[in-house]
Amino acid sequence: MNGNVEVVVVGGGYGGVTAANSLARRDGVSVTLVNPRPDFVERIRLHQLVTGSDDAVVGFGEVLGGNVRLVVDTASRIDAAERRVSLAGGGTVSYDYLVYAVGSGASDPGVPGAAEFAHWVSDLEGAERLRSALAETAASAPVTVVGAGPTGLETAAELAEAGRKITLVCGNVLGPSLHARVRRPVARRLAKLGVTVLEGSGAQVTEVTRDGVRLDDGRELPSAVTIWTAGFRVPDLAARSGLRTDTEGRLVTDGTLTSVDDVRIVAAGDAAVMTDLPFRMSCQAAVQLGPAAAATILRRIAGKTPAPVRMFFAGQCLSLGRNAGVTQFSYPNDRVNALSISGGLGAGVKEIACRFTLNKLVSGARKASSRASHGDSTDRLESPQPQHRTTPSNT
């Protein structure tokens, strides 16, 4: 391909930012990132935002290369034939290649009353609403957390450490993604914090009301604030755009992260699935998939065949309040083993992991910006209602 190559990255999470920075380091490549918020959200700290121990927000100026053009808007449709993204604000952005990195959010549980009365902690707006709801609720009032995956465990522990009366409804087992041996220190920590854990038969939520939760064994739990953390969903942008998705709405790709419908659309993060190499939705996956998506595009630009993605997992880090945590180790294929670190050291490992991830983004931004400092003239745009660029379609 001759001349400047325009790449649009849709989504400014971990996958989108790492992809954008990797692409922006190359001469002849102009990168535009489309994101609905003007700031980067540290999703792995949203449970801390709820209690006020962290705001979970970092300016894009810190994590995004200065030569990446930021468009604050929401992508409403991808026109693959015309290589154009339509925006909710009314503009369009054209591309030669597109990185699909729209992430994931809270799923609709399909439980009566949940959508109306439950709160979420899977995105910035949901976490902020939850924090406001808790601020308006007496500290002694009962709070119910539904779901005992990583988000549920971290949220329950964070709130309990802050003095809240917490009931954790597991649905089946405490920490289903953890090894059986690693669940023990988690259970001990929750017990020390005073969290009531309901698991096993009968611990499925069948209804959420304004002031309570009903379980399938007939029990009714008083709950001034109910927090739903069970399950995630992805935006339906790919499906609405006529691209092939799986039953969960994730963009279907091959082993190079390329859409099975269009070689100019490459994915990174939770909103995609590789048919031959499924991966767990996580920050740990996203920070690997972002650079991998960029590598696929850069190899195509160079006229080379992209290499299949290789994933490596080290484990899962959980904070259980500010003073304790658990690190669950895994094999490189993400299958967990019985090794773990818990207690104060576990909390330290989780904090190191959070800081390392952010520092990696900052480092990527500096590397991308170094090209801008040597003569790159790509404009940066940060405005709630920007003027969008439209480029001619290339064939």
Side-chain angles (χ1 to χ4, degrees), residues 326-363:
V326 169
T327 298
Q328 159 76 76
F329 291 101
S330 72
Y331 300 104
N333 65 358
D334 204 28
R335 184 168 65 89
V336 298
N337 56 46
L339 299 177
S340 67
I341 298 173
S342 60
L345 185 57
V349 172
K350 173 59 187 282
E351 183 61 24
I352 290 172
C354 290
R355 293 185 181 185
F356 174 81
T357 301
L358 181 61
N359 288 339
K360 187 173 183 179
L361 301 186
V362 172
S363 174

PDB file of all heavy atoms in Angstrom, residues 326-363:
ATOM      1  N   VAL A 326      -5.110 -12.224  47.091  1.00  0.00           N
ATOM      2  CA  VAL A 326      -4.725 -13.579  46.699  1.00  0.00           C
ATOM      3  C   VAL A 326      -4.242 -13.545  45.256  1.00  0.00           C
ATOM      4  O   VAL A 326      -4.905 -12.965  44.391  1.00  0.00           O
ATOM      5  CB  VAL A 326      -5.888 -14.575  46.829  1.00  0.00           C
ATOM      6  CG1 VAL A 326      -5.547 -15.895  46.156  1.00  0.00           C
ATOM      7  CG2 VAL A 326      -6.234 -14.824  48.289  1.00  0.00           C
ATOM      8  N   THR A 327      -3.085 -14.142  45.012  1.00  0.00           N
ATOM      9  CA  THR A 327      -2.599 -14.335  43.656  1.00  0.00           C
ATOM     10  C   THR A 327      -2.699 -15.809  43.321  1.00  0.00           C
ATOM     11  O   THR A 327      -2.085 -16.647  43.993  1.00  0.00           O
ATOM     12  CB  THR A 327      -1.142 -13.867  43.512  1.00  0.00           C
ATOM     13  OG1 THR A 327      -1.067 -12.469  43.784  1.00  0.00           O
ATOM     14  CG2 THR A 327      -0.631 -14.125  42.102  1.00  0.00           C
ATOM     15  N   GLN A 328      -3.516 -16.116  42.324  1.00  0.00           N
ATOM     16  CA  GLN A 328      -3.708 -17.480  41.858  1.00  0.00           C
ATOM     17  C   GLN A 328      -2.810 -17.696  40.639  1.00  0.00           C
ATOM     18  O   GLN A 328      -2.964 -17.037  39.623  1.00  0.00           O
ATOM     19  CB  GLN A 328      -5.179 -17.677  41.466  1.00  0.00           C
ATOM     20  CG  GLN A 328      -5.459 -18.829  40.525  1.00  0.00           C
ATOM     21  CD  GLN A 328      -5.421 -20.170  41.218  1.00  0.00           C
ATOM     22  OE1 GLN A 328      -6.356 -20.527  41.919  1.00  0.00           O
ATOM     23  NE2 GLN A 328      -4.331 -20.910  41.030  1.00  0.00           N
ATOM     24  N   PHE A 329      -1.857 -18.608  40.752  1.00  0.00           N
ATOM     25  CA  PHE A 329      -0.969 -18.876  39.623  1.00  0.00           C
ATOM     26  C   PHE A 329      -1.617 -19.855  38.657  1.00  0.00           C
ATOM     27  O   PHE A 329      -2.519 -20.617  39.023  1.00  0.00           O
ATOM     28  CB  PHE A 329       0.376 -19.414  40.111  1.00  0.00           C
ATOM     29  CG  PHE A 329       1.192 -18.394  40.841  1.00  0.00           C
ATOM     30  CD1 PHE A 329       1.244 -18.388  42.236  1.00  0.00           C
ATOM     31  CD2 PHE A 329       1.891 -17.424  40.152  1.00  0.00           C
ATOM     32  CE1 PHE A 329       1.983 -17.445  42.916  1.00  0.00           C
ATOM     33  CE2 PHE A 329       2.641 -16.469  40.818  1.00  0.00           C
ATOM     34  CZ  PHE A 329       2.690 -16.475  42.205  1.00  0.00           C
ATOM     35  N   SER A 330      -1.149 -19.807  37.410  1.00  0.00           N
ATOM     36  CA  SER A 330      -1.701 -20.694  36.387  1.00  0.00           C
ATOM     37  C   SER A 330      -0.594 -21.182  35.480  1.00  0.00           C
ATOM     38  O   SER A 330       0.533 -20.663  35.490  1.00  0.00           O
ATOM     39  CB  SER A 330      -2.768 -19.957  35.560  1.00  0.00           C
ATOM     40  OG  SER A 330      -2.171 -18.995  34.708  1.00  0.00           O
ATOM     41  N   TYR A 331      -0.922 -22.173  34.667  1.00  0.00           N
ATOM     42  CA  TYR A 331      -0.030 -22.601  33.604  1.00  0.00           C
ATOM     43  C   TYR A 331      -0.145 -21.591  32.454  1.00  0.00           C
ATOM     44  O   TYR A 331      -1.104 -20.815  32.409  1.00  0.00           O
ATOM     45  CB  TYR A 331      -0.404 -24.005  33.142  1.00  0.00           C
ATOM     46  CG  TYR A 331      -0.310 -25.036  34.246  1.00  0.00           C
ATOM     47  CD1 TYR A 331      -1.459 -25.528  34.865  1.00  0.00           C
ATOM     48  CD2 TYR A 331       0.928 -25.497  34.680  1.00  0.00           C
ATOM     49  CE1 TYR A 331      -1.378 -26.463  35.887  1.00  0.00           C
ATOM     50  CE2 TYR A 331       1.027 -26.438  35.709  1.00  0.00           C
ATOM     51  CZ  TYR A 331      -0.137 -26.907  36.306  1.00  0.00           C
ATOM     52  OH  TYR A 331      -0.040 -27.813  37.333  1.00  0.00           O
ATOM     53  N   PRO A 332       0.799 -21.566  31.538  1.00  0.00           N
ATOM     54  CA  PRO A 332       0.747 -20.577  30.445  1.00  0.00           C
ATOM     55  C   PRO A 332      -0.539 -20.598  29.631  1.00  0.00           C
ATOM     56  O   PRO A 332      -0.919 -19.589  29.044  1.00  0.00           O
ATOM     57  CB  PRO A 332       1.962 -20.951  29.583  1.00  0.00           C
ATOM     58  CG  PRO A 332       2.929 -21.560  30.548  1.00  0.00           C
ATOM     59  CD  PRO A 332       2.075 -22.332  31.518  1.00  0.00           C
ATOM     60  N   ASN A 333      -1.242 -21.749  29.617  1.00  0.00           N
ATOM     61  CA  ASN A 333      -2.502 -21.838  28.873  1.00  0.00           C
ATOM     62  C   ASN A 333      -3.702 -21.361  29.690  1.00  0.00           C
ATOM     63  O   ASN A 333      -4.847 -21.546  29.282  1.00  0.00           O
ATOM     64  CB  ASN A 333      -2.729 -23.266  28.387  1.00  0.00           C
ATOM     65  CG  ASN A 333      -2.934 -24.262  29.538  1.00  0.00           C
ATOM     66  OD1 ASN A 333      -2.863 -23.891  30.714  1.00  0.00           O
ATOM     67  ND2 ASN A 333      -3.153 -25.512  29.195  1.00  0.00           N
ATOM     68  N   ASP A 334      -3.453 -20.748  30.841  1.00  0.00           N
ATOM     69  CA  ASP A 334      -4.472 -20.161  31.712  1.00  0.00           C
ATOM     70  C   ASP A 334      -5.192 -21.188  32.583  1.00  0.00           C
ATOM     71  O   ASP A 334      -6.156 -20.848  33.268  1.00  0.00           O
ATOM     72  CB  ASP A 334      -5.494 -19.347  30.909  1.00  0.00           C
ATOM     73  CG  ASP A 334      -6.187 -18.277  31.746  1.00  0.00           C
ATOM     74  OD1 ASP A 334      -5.561 -17.795  32.715  1.00  0.00           O
ATOM     75  OD2 ASP A 334      -7.342 -17.922  31.451  1.00  0.00           O
ATOM     76  N   ARG A 335      -4.745 -22.435  32.576  1.00  0.00           N
ATOM     77  CA  ARG A 335      -5.331 -23.419  33.486  1.00  0.00           C
ATOM     78  C   ARG A 335      -4.706 -23.232  34.861  1.00  0.00           C
ATOM     79  O   ARG A 335      -3.487 -23.273  35.012  1.00  0.00           O
ATOM     80  CB  ARG A 335      -5.094 -24.842  32.971  1.00  0.00           C
ATOM     81  CG  ARG A 335      -5.769 -25.924  33.817  1.00  0.00           C
ATOM     82  CD  ARG A 335      -5.748 -27.260  33.101  1.00  0.00           C
ATOM     83  NE  ARG A 335      -4.393 -27.758  32.916  1.00  0.00           N
ATOM     84  CZ  ARG A 335      -3.735 -28.517  33.801  1.00  0.00           C
ATOM     85  NH1 ARG A 335      -4.305 -28.838  34.957  1.00  0.00           N
ATOM     86  NH2 ARG A 335      -2.518 -28.947  33.544  1.00  0.00           N
ATOM     87  N   VAL A 336      -5.554 -23.012  35.867  1.00  0.00           N
ATOM     88  CA  VAL A 336      -5.040 -22.680  37.195  1.00  0.00           C
ATOM     89  C   VAL A 336      -4.420 -23.901  37.860  1.00  0.00           C
ATOM     90  O   VAL A 336      -4.764 -25.047  37.564  1.00  0.00           O
ATOM     91  CB  VAL A 336      -6.152 -22.102  38.098  1.00  0.00           C
ATOM     92  CG1 VAL A 336      -6.705 -20.813  37.514  1.00  0.00           C
ATOM     93  CG2 VAL A 336      -7.278 -23.107  38.319  1.00  0.00           C
ATOM     94  N   ASN A 337      -3.478 -23.628  38.774  1.00  0.00           N
ATOM     95  CA  ASN A 337      -2.888 -24.690  39.574  1.00  0.00           C
ATOM     96  C   ASN A 337      -3.067 -24.363  41.053  1.00  0.00           C
ATOM     97  O   ASN A 337      -3.753 -23.393  41.396  1.00  0.00           O
ATOM     98  CB  ASN A 337      -1.411 -24.897  39.208  1.00  0.00           C
ATOM     99  CG  ASN A 337      -0.588 -23.613  39.335  1.00  0.00           C
ATOM    100  OD1 ASN A 337      -0.698 -22.893  40.321  1.00  0.00           O
ATOM    101  ND2 ASN A 337       0.230 -23.327  38.319  1.00  0.00           N
ATOM    102  N   ALA A 338      -2.479 -25.151  41.923  1.00  0.00           N
ATOM    103  CA  ALA A 338      -2.702 -24.996  43.365  1.00  0.00           C
ATOM    104  C   ALA A 338      -1.795 -23.973  44.024  1.00  0.00           C
ATOM    105  O   ALA A 338      -1.890 -23.750  45.234  1.00  0.00           O
ATOM    106  CB  ALA A 338      -2.540 -26.355  44.058  1.00  0.00           C
ATOM    107  N   LEU A 339      -0.927 -23.327  43.265  1.00  0.00           N
ATOM    108  CA  LEU A 339       0.009 -22.370  43.841  1.00  0.00           C
ATOM    109  C   LEU A 339      -0.649 -21.008  44.017  1.00  0.00           C
ATOM    110  O   LEU A 339      -1.388 -20.542  43.146  1.00  0.00           O
ATOM    111  CB  LEU A 339       1.238 -22.236  42.950  1.00  0.00           C
ATOM    112  CG  LEU A 339       2.066 -23.507  42.724  1.00  0.00           C
ATOM    113  CD1 LEU A 339       3.211 -23.223  41.760  1.00  0.00           C
ATOM    114  CD2 LEU A 339       2.588 -24.048  44.056  1.00  0.00           C
ATOM    115  N   SER A 340      -0.357 -20.359  45.130  1.00  0.00           N
ATOM    116  CA  SER A 340      -0.941 -19.039  45.370  1.00  0.00           C
ATOM    117  C   SER A 340      -0.116 -18.267  46.389  1.00  0.00           C
ATOM    118  O   SER A 340       0.711 -18.833  47.099  1.00  0.00           O
ATOM    119  CB  SER A 340      -2.378 -19.161  45.878  1.00  0.00           C
ATOM    120  OG  SER A 340      -2.408 -19.737  47.175  1.00  0.00           O
ATOM    121  N   ILE A 341      -0.348 -16.968  46.420  1.00  0.00           N
ATOM    122  CA  ILE A 341       0.198 -16.077  47.444  1.00  0.00           C
ATOM    123  C   ILE A 341      -0.994 -15.359  48.056  1.00  0.00           C
ATOM    124  O   ILE A 341      -1.857 -14.857  47.342  1.00  0.00           O
ATOM    125  CB  ILE A 341       1.165 -15.045  46.835  1.00  0.00           C
ATOM    126  CG1 ILE A 341       2.364 -15.738  46.191  1.00  0.00           C
ATOM    127  CG2 ILE A 341       1.639 -14.058  47.890  1.00  0.00           C
ATOM    128  CD1 ILE A 341       3.271 -14.790  45.430  1.00  0.00           C
ATOM    129  N   SER A 342      -1.050 -15.295  49.372  1.00  0.00           N
ATOM    130  CA  SER A 342      -2.203 -14.672  50.016  1.00  0.00           C
ATOM    131  C   SER A 342      -1.757 -13.703  51.106  1.00  0.00           C
ATOM    132  O   SER A 342      -0.574 -13.520  51.364  1.00  0.00           O
ATOM    133  CB  SER A 342      -3.131 -15.745  50.601  1.00  0.00           C
ATOM    134  OG  SER A 342      -2.455 -16.536  51.565  1.00  0.00           O
ATOM    135  N   GLY A 343      -2.743 -13.067  51.728  1.00  0.00           N
ATOM    136  CA  GLY A 343      -2.470 -12.130  52.804  1.00  0.00           C
ATOM    137  C   GLY A 343      -1.950 -10.799  52.301  1.00  0.00           C
ATOM    138  O   GLY A 343      -2.247 -10.354  51.186  1.00  0.00           O
ATOM    139  N   GLY A 344      -1.130 -10.155  53.115  1.00  0.00           N
ATOM    140  CA  GLY A 344      -0.583  -8.858  52.762  1.00  0.00           C
ATOM    141  C   GLY A 344       0.296  -8.918  51.532  1.00  0.00           C
ATOM    142  O   GLY A 344       0.299  -7.999  50.703  1.00  0.00           O
ATOM    143  N   LEU A 345       1.034 -10.019  51.367  1.00  0.00           N
ATOM    144  CA  LEU A 345       1.879 -10.173  50.186  1.00  0.00           C
ATOM    145  C   LEU A 345       1.018 -10.283  48.928  1.00  0.00           C
ATOM    146  O   LEU A 345       1.366  -9.738  47.878  1.00  0.00           O
ATOM    147  CB  LEU A 345       2.774 -11.409  50.333  1.00  0.00           C
ATOM    148  CG  LEU A 345       3.804 -11.644  49.217  1.00  0.00           C
ATOM    149  CD1 LEU A 345       4.711 -10.430  49.063  1.00  0.00           C
ATOM    150  CD2 LEU A 345       4.625 -12.902  49.521  1.00  0.00           C
ATOM    151  N   GLY A 346      -0.114 -10.970  49.060  1.00  0.00           N
ATOM    152  CA  GLY A 346      -1.031 -11.074  47.928  1.00  0.00           C
ATOM    153  C   GLY A 346      -1.567  -9.716  47.515  1.00  0.00           C
ATOM    154  O   GLY A 346      -1.702  -9.419  46.329  1.00  0.00           O
ATOM    155  N   ALA A 347      -1.867  -8.873  48.505  1.00  0.00           N
ATOM    156  CA  ALA A 347      -2.327  -7.513  48.204  1.00  0.00           C
ATOM    157  C   ALA A 347      -1.228  -6.724  47.504  1.00  0.00           C
ATOM    158  O   ALA A 347      -1.498  -5.951  46.574  1.00  0.00           O
ATOM    159  CB  ALA A 347      -2.749  -6.801  49.486  1.00  0.00           C
ATOM    160  N   GLY A 348       0.017  -6.924  47.938  1.00  0.00           N
ATOM    161  CA  GLY A 348       1.132  -6.231  47.320  1.00  0.00           C
ATOM    162  C   GLY A 348       1.331  -6.642  45.869  1.00  0.00           C
ATOM    163  O   GLY A 348       1.607  -5.801  45.002  1.00  0.00           O
ATOM    164  N   VAL A 349       1.181  -7.931  45.599  1.00  0.00           N
ATOM    165  CA  VAL A 349       1.318  -8.417  44.226  1.00  0.00           C
ATOM    166  C   VAL A 349       0.239  -7.814  43.340  1.00  0.00           C
ATOM    167  O   VAL A 349       0.505  -7.391  42.202  1.00  0.00           O
ATOM    168  CB  VAL A 349       1.263  -9.956  44.184  1.00  0.00           C
ATOM    169  CG1 VAL A 349       1.201 -10.451  42.744  1.00  0.00           C
ATOM    170  CG2 VAL A 349       2.475 -10.561  44.897  1.00  0.00           C
ATOM    171  N   LYS A 350      -1.000  -7.742  43.847  1.00  0.00           N
ATOM    172  CA  LYS A 350      -2.078  -7.155  43.050  1.00  0.00           C
ATOM    173  C   LYS A 350      -1.793  -5.681  42.744  1.00  0.00           C
ATOM    174  O   LYS A 350      -1.989  -5.202  41.624  1.00  0.00           O
ATOM    175  CB  LYS A 350      -3.418  -7.288  43.783  1.00  0.00           C
ATOM    176  CG  LYS A 350      -4.600  -6.549  43.115  1.00  0.00           C
ATOM    177  CD  LYS A 350      -4.838  -7.046  41.688  1.00  0.00           C
ATOM    178  CE  LYS A 350      -5.894  -6.211  40.972  1.00  0.00           C
ATOM    179  NZ  LYS A 350      -7.257  -6.534  41.364  1.00  0.00           N
ATOM    180  N   GLU A 351      -1.316  -4.951  43.729  1.00  0.00           N
ATOM    181  CA  GLU A 351      -1.023  -3.530  43.512  1.00  0.00           C
ATOM    182  C   GLU A 351       0.113  -3.365  42.503  1.00  0.00           C
ATOM    183  O   GLU A 351       0.062  -2.477  41.633  1.00  0.00           O
ATOM    184  CB  GLU A 351      -0.669  -2.860  44.836  1.00  0.00           C
ATOM    185  CG  GLU A 351      -0.407  -1.364  44.735  1.00  0.00           C
ATOM    186  CD  GLU A 351      -1.599  -0.573  44.238  1.00  0.00           C
ATOM    187  OE1 GLU A 351      -2.750  -1.038  44.385  1.00  0.00           O
ATOM    188  OE2 GLU A 351      -1.388   0.524  43.674  1.00  0.00           O
ATOM    189  N   ILE A 352       1.114  -4.214  42.601  1.00  0.00           N
ATOM    190  CA  ILE A 352       2.215  -4.166  41.638  1.00  0.00           C
ATOM    191  C   ILE A 352       1.691  -4.445  40.232  1.00  0.00           C
ATOM    192  O   ILE A 352       2.081  -3.788  39.257  1.00  0.00           O
ATOM    193  CB  ILE A 352       3.314  -5.174  42.019  1.00  0.00           C
ATOM    194  CG1 ILE A 352       4.045  -4.700  43.282  1.00  0.00           C
ATOM    195  CG2 ILE A 352       4.302  -5.367  40.874  1.00  0.00           C
ATOM    196  CD1 ILE A 352       5.007  -5.718  43.847  1.00  0.00           C
ATOM    197  N   ALA A 353       0.796  -5.417  40.111  1.00  0.00           N
ATOM    198  CA  ALA A 353       0.231  -5.764  38.805  1.00  0.00           C
ATOM    199  C   ALA A 353      -0.544  -4.589  38.218  1.00  0.00           C
ATOM    200  O   ALA A 353      -0.436  -4.293  37.020  1.00  0.00           O
ATOM    201  CB  ALA A 353      -0.674  -6.990  38.936  1.00  0.00           C
ATOM    202  N   CYS A 354      -1.323  -3.898  39.061  1.00  0.00           N
ATOM    203  CA  CYS A 354      -2.088  -2.737  38.587  1.00  0.00           C
ATOM    204  C   CYS A 354      -1.152  -1.619  38.126  1.00  0.00           C
ATOM    205  O   CYS A 354      -1.359  -1.020  37.060  1.00  0.00           O
ATOM    206  CB  CYS A 354      -3.007  -2.224  39.686  1.00  0.00           C
ATOM    207  SG  CYS A 354      -4.398  -3.312  40.064  1.00  0.00           S
ATOM    208  N   ARG A 355      -0.133  -1.341  38.919  1.00  0.00           N
ATOM    209  CA  ARG A 355       0.800  -0.263  38.570  1.00  0.00           C
ATOM    210  C   ARG A 355       1.634  -0.627  37.343  1.00  0.00           C
ATOM    211  O   ARG A 355       1.906   0.230  36.493  1.00  0.00           O
ATOM    212  CB  ARG A 355       1.712   0.042  39.757  1.00  0.00           C
ATOM    213  CG  ARG A 355       0.978   0.639  40.953  1.00  0.00           C
ATOM    214  CD  ARG A 355       1.933   1.034  42.047  1.00  0.00           C
ATOM    215  NE  ARG A 355       1.222   1.582  43.204  1.00  0.00           N
ATOM    216  CZ  ARG A 355       1.814   2.092  44.270  1.00  0.00           C
ATOM    217  NH1 ARG A 355       3.143   2.148  44.328  1.00  0.00           N
ATOM    218  NH2 ARG A 355       1.089   2.552  45.286  1.00  0.00           N
ATOM    219  N   PHE A 356       2.035  -1.898  37.256  1.00  0.00           N
ATOM    220  CA  PHE A 356       2.820  -2.339  36.110  1.00  0.00           C
ATOM    221  C   PHE A 356       2.019  -2.179  34.819  1.00  0.00           C
ATOM    222  O   PHE A 356       2.559  -1.730  33.795  1.00  0.00           O
ATOM    223  CB  PHE A 356       3.227  -3.797  36.288  1.00  0.00           C
ATOM    224  CG  PHE A 356       3.920  -4.388  35.082  1.00  0.00           C
ATOM    225  CD1 PHE A 356       5.268  -4.159  34.866  1.00  0.00           C
ATOM    226  CD2 PHE A 356       3.209  -5.162  34.171  1.00  0.00           C
ATOM    227  CE1 PHE A 356       5.907  -4.696  33.742  1.00  0.00           C
ATOM    228  CE2 PHE A 356       3.838  -5.696  33.050  1.00  0.00           C
ATOM    229  CZ  PHE A 356       5.184  -5.463  32.840  1.00  0.00           C
ATOM    230  N   THR A 357       0.736  -2.539  34.868  1.00  0.00           N
ATOM    231  CA  THR A 357      -0.108  -2.424  33.682  1.00  0.00           C
ATOM    232  C   THR A 357      -0.219  -0.978  33.236  1.00  0.00           C
ATOM    233  O   THR A 357      -0.084  -0.661  32.047  1.00  0.00           O
ATOM    234  CB  THR A 357      -1.507  -2.995  33.965  1.00  0.00           C
ATOM    235  OG1 THR A 357      -1.386  -4.372  34.354  1.00  0.00           O
ATOM    236  CG2 THR A 357      -2.393  -2.902  32.731  1.00  0.00           C
ATOM    237  N   LEU A 358      -0.471  -0.065  34.177  1.00  0.00           N
ATOM    238  CA  LEU A 358      -0.568   1.350  33.830  1.00  0.00           C
ATOM    239  C   LEU A 358       0.771   1.878  33.319  1.00  0.00           C
ATOM    240  O   LEU A 358       0.819   2.619  32.323  1.00  0.00           O
ATOM    241  CB  LEU A 358      -1.024   2.158  35.042  1.00  0.00           C
ATOM    242  CG  LEU A 358      -1.180   3.666  34.805  1.00  0.00           C
ATOM    243  CD1 LEU A 358      -2.219   3.951  33.729  1.00  0.00           C
ATOM    244  CD2 LEU A 358      -1.556   4.372  36.108  1.00  0.00           C
ATOM    245  N   ASN A 359       1.852   1.487  33.975  1.00  0.00           N
ATOM    246  CA  ASN A 359       3.174   1.947  33.538  1.00  0.00           C
ATOM    247  C   ASN A 359       3.504   1.454  32.133  1.00  0.00           C
ATOM    248  O   ASN A 359       4.181   2.149  31.359  1.00  0.00           O
ATOM    249  CB  ASN A 359       4.254   1.477  34.514  1.00  0.00           C
ATOM    250  CG  ASN A 359       4.204   2.213  35.843  1.00  0.00           C
ATOM    251  OD1 ASN A 359       3.643   3.304  35.928  1.00  0.00           O
ATOM    252  ND2 ASN A 359       4.766   1.626  36.875  1.00  0.00           N
ATOM    253  N   LYS A 360       3.011   0.271  31.792  1.00  0.00           N
ATOM    254  CA  LYS A 360       3.224  -0.267  30.453  1.00  0.00           C
ATOM    255  C   LYS A 360       2.513   0.599  29.414  1.00  0.00           C
ATOM    256  O   LYS A 360       3.054   0.860  28.334  1.00  0.00           O
ATOM    257  CB  LYS A 360       2.722  -1.705  30.378  1.00  0.00           C
ATOM    258  CG  LYS A 360       3.046  -2.413  29.077  1.00  0.00           C
ATOM    259  CD  LYS A 360       2.673  -3.873  29.138  1.00  0.00           C
ATOM    260  CE  LYS A 360       3.060  -4.592  27.847  1.00  0.00           C
ATOM    261  NZ  LYS A 360       2.728  -6.047  27.904  1.00  0.00           N
ATOM    262  N   LEU A 361       1.312   1.067  29.751  1.00  0.00           N
ATOM    263  CA  LEU A 361       0.595   1.961  28.843  1.00  0.00           C
ATOM    264  C   LEU A 361       1.330   3.289  28.709  1.00  0.00           C
ATOM    265  O   LEU A 361       1.456   3.840  27.606  1.00  0.00           O
ATOM    266  CB  LEU A 361      -0.826   2.201  29.342  1.00  0.00           C
ATOM    267  CG  LEU A 361      -1.743   0.985  29.503  1.00  0.00           C
ATOM    268  CD1 LEU A 361      -3.150   1.444  29.864  1.00  0.00           C
ATOM    269  CD2 LEU A 361      -1.767   0.134  28.256  1.00  0.00           C
ATOM    270  N   VAL A 362       1.789   3.827  29.821  1.00  0.00           N
ATOM    271  CA  VAL A 362       2.516   5.101  29.796  1.00  0.00           C
ATOM    272  C   VAL A 362       3.784   4.967  28.964  1.00  0.00           C
ATOM    273  O   VAL A 362       4.123   5.851  28.158  1.00  0.00           O
ATOM    274  CB  VAL A 362       2.848   5.556  31.232  1.00  0.00           C
ATOM    275  CG1 VAL A 362       3.764   6.773  31.211  1.00  0.00           C
ATOM    276  CG2 VAL A 362       1.562   5.874  31.997  1.00  0.00           C
ATOM    277  N   SER A 363       4.497   3.864  29.121  1.00  0.00           N
ATOM    278  CA  SER A 363       5.712   3.630  28.355  1.00  0.00           C
ATOM    279  C   SER A 363       5.398   3.539  26.864  1.00  0.00           C
ATOM    280  O   SER A 363       6.130   4.103  26.024  1.00  0.00           O
ATOM    281  CB  SER A 363       6.383   2.332  28.825  1.00  0.00           C
ATOM    282  OG  SER A 363       7.495   2.007  28.015  1.00  0.00           O
TER     283      SER A 363
END
